[in-house]
Amino acid sequence: MMGIGRIEPVSRESKRKERKSFLDHFNDLAFFAIALARCGSTVPDLTSSNATSTPAGTSTPTTNNQAGLICKGTNDLTRIPPAYSKAMNKYLATNKTYSINVCTEDTNNDSMADFMVIESANLPEHKSVYFETGDPLFESFDYNTNKYKFEPVYTTQRVGSAGTNKIKKQNITMRIPIAPVEGTTKTKTTFGTIGLALNGVSFFNESAAPPDQITNELFTFDQCSGHPQGSGIYHYHVDPICLIRDMGGQVRNGSKAADGKTYSWIEDDGTNAGLLLGFLMDGFPVYGPVGSGEKDCNGIAVSNAIDAYNGHSHCTADFADPIYHYHAKTANLGANNNPNPVFWITNAYYYGTPGSITNSPISSGTTTTTPPGGTTPPGGGTTTSSTPNILLIIADDMGVDATPGYAVGALKPKMPVL
């Protein structure tokens, strides 16, 4: 809790008194909330604010918009910075099956855009074994293929589906700074959506939420190198190979004869370093694997090395001036810690100052916020709640019934609506 180091255990009687003290004030709080509503005021929406790990010397405005209600189903690129216009338009053209909206947000009513906004249903346009069997995009897949596709990483991992997880429609809003800058204090990426591919699908980082290991999760990937988590958020930890193929990138066929059959897949051919794949929450673009080499916007071979954040700066086909950008990059994971051909999306930290990502899953009506960094809630990098309950949040701020592992005032799992 804020301003408190170690929380000392309290007796049952002490806890009872705390609860009673809170309940004594409950009616006053309830009356206050009702009075606000009757006066035409609204309870603040706390699901959308960028509340953690803001670098020193900067501030990030909060917002009262619900996910999906900023662009309102339309596109408005008039206040997108000219340098980003070409890249942002690719969000509108890539997914031919499910629409993605792009607009801007002015959070302090000064007639200046503060964020570029991308809103997505998080549904891939390519086929997957993780769609429901009646979906037109469902396609069966033999998970044993992954044993050979990721052979340098395979040891004794379980090969199969990600349990009963299925792709479900989401309502994701990603706000990225209107003028992305390097973070003076680097912010950790989390075990949740850290960015969006151009087809509107979530990027996750190269880690699995504890106690899982990412080198185990590899063997639950579908034919397009993605999979859904428990609430149906389909995502990529690695290079989105079907997106690369569908955007005109170069892929090659892989195959392996084993167990009396031939397993086949597609993989990056090492020439897609100049292919824009999407953006992370900090506003910096993500490009394909460096592979065998990379050229800048002038066709000159790039010599500056990839840094600790999996990126570097130079001009690209989408940005005429030099811009920092990430690459899907190989990592020393797996058997004997040897380099392997797995191209991970990013590293443990953002290079820039992140905005925010908010999700309201369509199927459940709940709101999920992915914080840009800081303390990770138990079980992953998102906090899930029903409509924010201001009274319970006030109670948490007062120190009553604080939930271990969550920040003061944060939304808690299954927080009821009063």
Side-chain angles (χ1 to χ4, degrees), residues 16 41 57-58 64 113 116 118 124 129 146 177 181 190 217 263 296 308 332-333 337 374 405 409:
R16 186 191 68 77
S41 301
T58 67
N64 290 330
M116 294 177 273
I118 300 95
V129 68
N146 288 329
V181 295
T190 59
E217 287 198 5
Y263 298 93
D296 67 12
N332 293 330
L333 296 174
N337 207 36

Side-chain angles (χ1 to χ4, degrees), residues 100-118:
I100 299 169
N101 296 123
V102 177
C103 62
T104 55
E105 183 182 31
D106 174 8
T107 60
N108 54 8
N109 298 317
D110 64 353
S111 299
M112 302 287 288
D114 299 296
F115 293 97
M116 294 177 273
V117 179
I118 300 95

Side-chain angles (χ1 to χ4, degrees), residues 40 52 72 93 98 101 106 143 157 165 172 207 229 255 321 365 390:
T52 58
K72 299 180 180 179
Y98 302 104
N101 296 123
D106 174 8
Y143 293 98
Q157 293 96 325
N165 297 355
I172 291 181
S207 298
Q229 44 78 283
S255 65
D321 294 322
I390 189 62

Side-chain angles (χ1 to χ4, degrees), residues 28-321:
D28 291 338
L29 291 169
F31 178 81
F32 175 71
I34 293 169
L36 281 176
R38 289 182 174 175
C39 291
S41 301
T42 58
V43 175
D45 169 19
L46 302 182
T47 64
S48 305
S49 59
N50 176 21
T52 58
S53 293
T54 302
T58 67
S59 61
T60 304
T62 58
T63 173
N64 290 330
N65 293 92
Q66 293 285 349
L69 296 181
I70 298 176
C71 298
K72 299 180 180 179
T74 62
N75 301 303
D76 183 359
L77 279 69
T78 55
R79 295 199 291 179
I80 295 288
Y84 275 75
S85 180
K86 181 178 180 179
M88 287 294 132
N89 269 287
K90 290 189 175 182
Y91 273 114
L92 308 182
T94 300
N95 193 327
K96 303 295 195 300
T97 306
Y98 302 104
S99 63
I100 299 169
N101 296 123
V102 177
C103 62
T104 55
E105 183 182 31
D106 174 8
T107 60
N108 54 8
N109 298 317
D110 64 353
S111 299
M112 302 287 288
D114 299 296
F115 293 97
M116 294 177 273
V117 179
I118 300 95
E119 294 180 338
S120 167
N122 206 77
L123 295 171
E125 79 292 358
H126 56 66
K127 294 183 177 181
S128 171
V129 68
Y130 285 112
F131 279 109
E132 297 288 351
T133 53
D135 193 287
L137 290 175
F138 171 82
E139 181 181 74
S140 61
F141 176 66
D142 188 339
Y143 293 98
N144 285 310
T145 304
N146 288 329
K147 287 199 300 186
Y148 308 105
K149 180 177 181 179
F150 303 118
E151 189 169 17
V153 185
Y154 180 69
T155 53
T156 59
Q157 293 96 325
R158 183 189 72 85
V159 177
S161 70
T164 59
N165 297 355
K166 294 291 183 182
I167 297 172
K168 294 181 182 179
K169 185 177 182 180
Q170 311 291 320
N171 195 358
I172 291 181
T173 295
M174 178 170 75
R175 298 171 179 83
I176 62 179
I178 199 73
V181 295
E182 179 180 0
T184 55
T185 300
K186 296 299 189 287
T187 304
K188 286 184 177 180
T189 56
T190 59
F191 304 119
T193 302
I194 61 172
L196 291 176
L198 292 180
N199 61 355
V201 169
S202 291
F203 284 141
F204 278 31
N205 68 11
E206 60 183 47
S207 298
D212 294 341
Q213 298 293 321
I214 194 62
T215 47
N216 293 334
E217 287 198 5
L218 276 174
F219 299 94
T220 69
F221 288 177
D222 65 9
Q223 51 268 62
C224 291
S225 298
H227 65 177
Q229 44 78 283
S231 61
I233 300 175
Y234 183 78
H235 58 277
Y236 307 117
H237 291 275
V238 299
D239 56 314
I241 193 61
C242 293
L243 175 61
I244 289 173
R245 175 200 64 197
D246 296 344
M247 292 180 60
Q250 300 301 307
V251 300
R252 62 189 174 207
N253 295 318
S255 65
K256 175 80 172 186
D259 308 322
K261 63 181 296 184
T262 299
Y263 298 93
S264 301
W265 62 90
I266 58 173
E267 60 190 19
D268 187 271
D269 80 341
T271 63
N272 296 305
L275 186 66
L276 178 65
L277 301 180
F279 286 82
L280 293 194
M281 199 196 307
D282 61 359
F284 290 109
V286 180
Y287 281 82
V290 172
S292 58
E294 181 183 13
K295 294 183 178 179
D296 67 12
C297 62
N298 299 308
I300 300 172
V302 175
S303 58
N304 40 331
I306 302 293
D307 65 17
Y309 308 100
N310 282 5
H312 56 189
S313 297
H314 61 77
C315 67
T316 71
D318 307 284
F319 294 90
D321 294 322

Side-chain angles (χ1 to χ4, degrees), residues 321-343:
D321 294 322
I323 185 171
Y324 184 87
H325 56 277
Y326 301 97
H327 284 281
K329 183 179 179 291
T330 56
N332 293 330
L333 296 174
N336 301 317
N337 207 36
N338 291 326
N340 61 70
V342 180
F343 294 109

Side-chain angles (χ1 to χ4, degrees), residues 15-26 398 400:
K15 188 66 176 178
R16 186 191 68 77
K17 289 180 178 179
E18 284 185 2
R19 290 176 183 273
K20 184 177 185 302
S21 175
F22 171 70
L23 290 173
D24 287 342
H25 295 287
F26 186 87
M398 292 170 61
V400 181

